[in-house]
Amino acid sequence: MNTPSPSVYHLEEVISPFQAILDYELSLGIPPGWVNHSISKTAPNGFWHQLERGEIPLDDAFYAGFNEDLHDPVRWEAFYKSQQSRNPNLPKEVPAVPNIDGRWLFNDMITSSTTPDPWMYPALKSLRASGKFILAALSNTVIFPRGHALYREDFFNDPIRELFDVFVSSAHVGLRKPDPRIYEHALSEVNKFAKSHASDERGQSTRWTEGVRPDEICFLDDIGENLKAAKKSGFQTVKVPLGKAFEAVDELEAITGLKLAGDHPRTPIKPRLKGSSAKL
């Protein structure tokens, strides 16, 4: 790999909501992956996708639509049969669609993701402190309505978001990963930053006057289709394993030549069973 000029993060690697989804699925006895499968298969116009593109508000209509997307029997049967091929211990008869409370799941996921990842967050701060890289976030986001616990008058005025030089929010640009256009947009924004700061101390030491090539970008994500799209755009990619982000930090250290790991123990995060304990 080329040593990257910038690093482009998927923000959810710093504050991940996917552990909460896994916890919820295991608590219900659902084969892990159903929620993400359901969201993925409703693309491009499922309620989740529309919300992350900023096309619809986070309101009762969204929760109702998201709930409906999670309870499609045809999609559930296809998912369950794919899981049977991997796990012969699953019952042969396809069970009823799991009863998922979409509103509860969404808010639990969002609330859980406010805590920074214990491995990736220190790495981000170390990259920032090094002064050698442009830090950019390419994140599928939600705009919270006034009155919501996570509402901010200024969306970008946030301690974590402010660590980034460039922040591309799906809900603000009307595109979401893995749409190839959002990677093109991110590259354009990184280039704008590089050229406008080429005379700065950081820019002079890292030839920002020449702009940034796609192969100089290191893109991190925990979703395969997002990584594939980034690779097609010419980016270097690093997979962030759920609950084991320290492995991705190891890769970043090898790529950048910097010591990035904090002092958090390298112990994988185990699922936390919560909510209902009902089984299929």
Side-chain angles (χ1 to χ4, degrees), residues 99-111:
N99 184 20
I100 295 177
D101 184 338
R103 181 188 293 263
W104 189 94
L105 172 62
F106 180 87
N107 284 292
D108 181 64
M109 177 187 67
I110 293 299
T111 301

Side-chain angles (χ1 to χ4, degrees), residues 83-215:
Q83 297 303 301
Q84 284 179 324
S85 66
R86 302 174 186 175
N87 182 3
N89 294 321
L90 286 174
K92 297 299 181 184
E93 183 177 348
V94 179
V97 181
N99 184 20
I100 295 177
D101 184 338
R103 181 188 293 263
W104 189 94
L105 172 62
F106 180 87
N107 284 292
D108 181 64
M109 177 187 67
I110 293 299
T111 301
S112 298
S113 69
T114 57
T115 301
D117 183 273
W119 299 289
M120 196 56 69
Y121 186 47
L124 172 62
K125 290 194 293 185
S126 294
L127 283 169
R128 179 76 182 182
S130 76
K132 295 182 177 181
F133 303 97
I134 298 172
L135 296 185
L138 174 52
S139 186
N140 287 346
T141 56
V142 173
I143 297 175
F144 297 100
R146 191 179 297 273
H148 191 283
L150 297 179
Y151 169 80
R152 285 184 179 274
E153 188 69 35
D154 181 354
F155 178 88
F156 299 97
N157 181 20
D158 175 271
I160 293 179
R161 295 188 182 107
E162 289 179 344
L163 287 173
F164 294 95
D165 299 302
V166 175
F167 194 101
V168 177
S169 161
S170 67
H172 290 83
V173 301
L175 299 166
R176 70 182 296 278
K177 294 172 297 181
D179 188 327
R181 293 174 297 173
I182 199 168
Y183 298 90
E184 294 172 7
H185 178 77
L187 177 60
S188 175
E189 292 300 304
V190 169
N191 261 308
K192 286 179 186 176
F193 180 88
K195 292 177 179 179
S196 65
H197 291 78
S199 60
D200 294 354
E201 183 178 349
R202 281 199 298 164
Q204 290 177 347
S205 63
T206 51
R207 59 175 178 73
W208 287 355
T209 53
E210 301 174 21
V212 177
R213 301 191 311 269
D215 66 327

Side-chain angles (χ1 to χ4, degrees), residues 64-77:
F66 179 47
N67 230 38
E68 185 177 337
D69 284 347
L70 291 172
H71 291 86
D72 182 270
V74 175
R75 197 156 46 244
W76 165 249
E77 182 176 358

Side-chain angles (χ1 to χ4, degrees), residues 191-248:
N191 261 308
K192 286 179 186 176
F193 180 88
K195 292 177 179 179
S196 65
H197 291 78
S199 60
D200 294 354
E201 183 178 349
R202 281 199 298 164
Q204 290 177 347
S205 63
T206 51
R207 59 175 178 73
W208 287 355
T209 53
E210 301 174 21
V212 177
R213 301 191 311 269
D215 66 327
E216 293 178 308
I217 290 179
C218 181
F219 175 81
L220 292 87
D221 204 296
D222 56 0
I223 298 179
E225 61 182 2
N226 294 346
L227 290 162
K228 289 178 183 177
K231 189 166 287 188
K232 285 183 179 179
S233 296
F235 298 176
Q236 300 179 47
T237 60
V238 172
K239 175 68 181 285
V240 182
L242 184 61
K244 297 188 293 181
F246 54 82
E247 294 180 2

